[in-house]
Amino acid sequence: MAEPGSNIRYLQARRPGGGLKPPGGDGTYGDMEARVARLEAHMEHVRSGLDKLGGLPVQAAKLEERVAHLPTKGWMVGAMATGLAIIAALIAFGEKIQALVN
């Protein structure tokens, strides 16, 4: 991990004359030190957020295992068709079933 401000020192060393142009918008280096400092601070925030995602592969594997045990679409369609067939048979043969019971 780069220490804060190291990019600024690198840019200052590469610039002919020893440093960045002064701010004022007269070139591409205007207010560069503040911008680089903000970017470095933001990258620290991003890096800490990425560290929190370290357990994500384990959580994804657990979820995948749980989903593997769920009923498939084919099973659900088959169960619904069977249930509807039983209801239709009871409706169609209801009078004959009542005659057998009485």
Side-chain angles (χ1 to χ4, degrees):
M1 185 168 88
E3 64 182 81
S6 63
N7 289 341
I8 294 173
R9 286 190 293 277
Y10 172 76
L11 290 172
Q12 287 173 336
R14 289 200 39 153
R15 171 107 173 109
L20 297 175
K21 285 185 181 180
D26 60 344
T28 59
Y29 292 103
D31 199 26
M32 180 68 79
E33 291 185 33
R35 291 175 18 205
V36 171
R38 282 194 312 265
L39 284 173
E40 286 177 343
H42 181 70
M43 286 309 299
E44 290 300 321
H45 176 71
V46 169
R47 189 166 287 153
S48 69
L50 287 175
D51 291 341
K52 293 177 185 176
L53 296 177
L56 191 60
V58 173
Q59 292 172 349
K62 287 180 185 178
L63 180 62
E64 186 176 336
E65 183 60 27
R66 289 179 64 192
V67 168
H69 295 292
L70 291 175
T72 63
K73 192 185 322 181
W75 185 90
M76 290 169 51
V77 168
M80 293 278 288
T82 302
L84 288 174
I86 291 172
I87 291 171
L90 289 174
I91 292 171
F93 299 111
E95 292 177 12
K96 292 183 181 182
I97 293 173
Q98 280 183 342
L100 288 174
V101 173
N102 291 334

